[in-house]
């Protein structure tokens, strides 16, 4: 069956799937996993590669042509290159990417590329070892930097760096991180600190807005120009006077729900139509109950067609904005966590 366009109630296509391959992570970033303990998904619930492949085929029929592997930390998933090789062969996909914290990248970059992964994003919030440890509880900045250095030599079509900017923590590192990315040939994208599930210490005061990021960078570099492009990508891109390109993902202060074509599949097969959605659709249950591919296709299509989520815009409109979900609720329902849902 050829792929079709599946539109939601606001006319947004089903196109972009964030596929979480594990809820586990080897870092404990303060903005994502600040608590001492977490409730993990049962291992028997984790989708097999075969199940993931079946679901990607069905999503592909409905219009999904971009998949990003994420987590948790995707490089913790055993035999990940096998999954990449499986997905790289899917003719329905025009884009396959992976987001990693980079800790295990030095050892895996070559295998990921060889398996057919075209694009890679490495999260890097600081270039200072003491800050890295304070942020993540783990002393592994060197490993991340080494992973990044190796990755840019592996022949990926693109390697990007994602930096969450947090006031008073790393907002003084925007220029050094941009310079580091420029030296490596990796485009940097600054992400506004988001009040997603799991960000239990979030406060609006800690958010450095897109407007402020641009203001501070132009004070340093001179005039910054927007890149003239019309995409549903989360980052708006800009050029510095020397033509260096960087991006800003402004989900917190200038959300882009109107163009959002993204949905998220957790490692245990729960499908969420919005990063902020409270409930998802149990695709693992359906697949393991023997629902036919045609009926799964129908389930996914009708679920998307009823979508009217605008989670980030609703958050922007909410008064007295504070952390989205209390810790106790997250412990009862780990699917509300960013690291489970897939960033
Ligand atoms: N472990 C991988 C990594 O670190 O890139 C993939 C999963 S992580 C949840 C995906 C992305 O979400 C990372 O770039 C991370 O910085 C971002 N993220 C997590 N919590 C966030 C928050 N509260 N605000 C903004 N970005 C966040």
């Amino acid at each position: 069956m050829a792929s079709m366009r599946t539109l939601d109630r606001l006319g947004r296509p089903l196109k972009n799937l964030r596929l979480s391959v594990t809820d586990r992570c080897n870092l404990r970033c303060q903005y994502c996993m600040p608590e001492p303990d977490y409730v993990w998904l049962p291992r028997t619930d984790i989708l097999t590669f075969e199940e993931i492949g079946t679901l990607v085929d069905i999503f592909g029929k409905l219009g999904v042509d971009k998949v990003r592997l994420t987590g948790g930390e995707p490089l913790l998933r055993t035999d990940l290159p096998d999954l990449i090789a499986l997905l790289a062969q899917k003719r329905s996909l025009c884009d396959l990417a992976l987001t990693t914290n980079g800790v295990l990248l030095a050892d895996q970059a070559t295998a990921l590329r060889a398996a057919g992964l075209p694009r890679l994003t490495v999260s890097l919030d600081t270039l200072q070892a003491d800050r890295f440890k304070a942020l993540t509880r783990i002393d592994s900045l060197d490993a991340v930097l080494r992973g990044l250095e190796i990755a840019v030599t592996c022949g990926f079509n693109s390697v990007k760096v994602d930096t969450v900017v947090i006031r008073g923590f790393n907002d003084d590192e925007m220029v050094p991180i941009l310079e580091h990315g420029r030296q490596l040939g990796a485009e940097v994208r600054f992400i506004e600190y988001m009040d997603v599930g799991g960000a239990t210490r979030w406060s609006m005061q800690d958010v450095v807005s897109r407007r402020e990021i641009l203001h501070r960078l132009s004070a340093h570099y001179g005039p910054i120009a927007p890149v003239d492009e019309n995409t549903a990508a989360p980052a708006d891109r800009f050029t510095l006077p020397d033509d260096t390109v960087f991006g800003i993902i402004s989900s917190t202060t200038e959300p882009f729900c109107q163009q959002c074509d993204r949905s998220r599949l957790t490692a245990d097969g729960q499908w969420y139509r919005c990063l902020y959605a409270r409930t998802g659709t149990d695709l693992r249950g359906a697949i393991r109950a023997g629902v036919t591919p045609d009926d799964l296709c129908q389930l996914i299509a009708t679920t998307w067609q009823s979508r009217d989520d605008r989670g980030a815009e609703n958050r922007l409109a909410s008064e007295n904005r504070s952390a989205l979900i209390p810790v106790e609720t997250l412990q009862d329902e780990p699917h509300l966590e960013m690291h489970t849902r897939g960033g």
Side-chain angles (χ1 to χ4, degrees):
M1 188 167 117
S3 95
M4 55 194 255
R5 264 162 78 78
T6 309
L7 302 180
D8 73 4
R9 284 168 62 183
L10 304 179
R12 299 168 296 186
L14 173 61
K15 244 181 130 39
N16 218 307
L17 184 66
R18 304 272 164 123
L19 216 162
S20 174
V21 294
T22 178
D23 59 326
R24 313 264 167 160
C25 194
N26 45 0
L27 296 182
R28 288 291 178 274
C29 299
Q30 283 295 309
Y31 54 72
C32 188
M33 300 184 74
E35 308 307 326
D37 296 309
Y38 284 91
V39 178
W40 305 109
L41 300 176
R43 287 192 185 265
T44 49
D45 286 357
I46 303 299
L47 295 179
T48 63
F49 290 171
E50 194 185 346
E51 288 169 331
I52 292 174
T54 301
L55 287 172
V56 167
D57 284 339
I58 293 168
F59 276 106
K61 287 177 185 166
L62 294 168
V64 167
D65 59 5
K66 296 181 178 175
V67 166
R68 177 173 291 275
L69 300 175
T70 180
E73 172 46 39
L75 301 194
L76 290 175
R77 178 81 189 242
T78 309
D79 297 328
L80 185 68
D82 293 349
L83 176 64
I84 287 168
L86 181 88
L87 298 180
Q89 289 167 12
K90 302 281 181 204
R91 298 181 62 185
S92 55
L93 299 184
C94 66
D95 190 27
L96 179 62
L98 177 141
T99 301
T100 172
N101 62 31
V103 174
L104 302 172
L105 188 58
D107 286 343
Q108 296 193 28
T110 308
L112 296 173
R113 182 67 191 120
L117 182 71
R119 299 201 303 119
L120 186 70
T121 301
V122 180
S123 301
L124 175 66
D125 302 316
T126 177
L127 296 168
Q128 300 182 23
D130 55 340
R131 282 189 183 176
F132 187 95
K133 189 166 176 204
L135 177 72
T136 68
R137 280 196 237 148
I138 315 287
D139 192 6
S140 48
L141 176 64
D142 282 351
V144 177
L145 294 178
R146 201 155 33 91
L148 193 49
E149 264 170 40
I150 291 175
V152 296
T153 66
C154 286
F156 289 102
N157 298 350
S158 91
V159 176
K160 289 186 178 153
V161 166
D162 274 6
T163 303
V164 181
V165 185
I166 300 182
R167 188 177 308 286
F169 169 67
N170 65 348
D171 55 330
D172 58 346
E173 287 194 71
M174 289 189 285
V175 170
I177 290 173
L178 259 184
E179 293 299 325
H180 193 72
R182 181 182 7 213
Q183 273 164 25
L184 290 170
E187 188 174 313
V188 174
R189 304 188 309 173
F190 296 112
I191 307 177
E192 288 182 353
Y193 185 12
M194 292 161 63
D195 53 349
V196 287
T200 48
R201 317 272 151 99
W202 185 90
S203 141
M204 194 66 210
Q205 271 119 43
D206 296 337
V207 177
V208 182
S209 68
R210 161 200 169 114
R211 179 192 282 249
E212 184 177 340
I213 293 171
L214 285 173
H215 179 73
R216 288 170 64 172
L217 290 177
S218 53
H220 180 88
Y221 286 108
I224 291 173
V227 174
D228 190 13
E229 58 190 355
N230 188 8
T231 72
D236 285 333
R237 296 164 81 231
F238 302 88
T239 38
L240 298 177
D242 71 353
D243 288 339
T244 301
V245 175
F246 69 97
I248 301 181
I249 300 177
S250 58
S251 329
T252 305
T253 68
E254 296 182 43
F256 34 84
C257 301
Q258 321 253 341
Q259 284 109 274
C260 181
D261 58 8
R262 274 172 296 286
S263 64
R264 292 176 156 79
L265 185 66
T266 62
D268 66 344
Q270 306 302 307
W271 181 47
Y272 291 88
R273 302 176 303 178
C274 174
L275 181 54
Y276 288 91
R278 295 287 173 137
T279 56
T281 306
D282 180 13
L283 299 183
R284 181 194 76 250
I287 218 171
R288 292 192 184 170
V291 171
T292 64
D294 281 352
D295 286 348
L296 264 174
C297 202
Q298 190 63 31
L299 170 66
I300 293 170
T302 50
T303 305
W304 187 260
Q305 282 155 356
S306 68
R307 174 188 192 241
D308 61 0
D309 302 66
R310 292 163 52 184
E313 287 180 359
N314 291 339
R315 289 297 291 164
L316 185 62
S318 64
E319 283 178 26
N320 301 324
R321 199 169 173 184
S322 62
L324 178 68
I325 302 170
V327 179
E328 309 76 54
T329 313
L330 291 169
Q331 280 164 352
D332 287 344
E333 180 38 307
H335 290 99
L336 296 172
E337 298 270 9
M338 175 77 152
H339 71 267
T340 307
R341 192 155 293 193

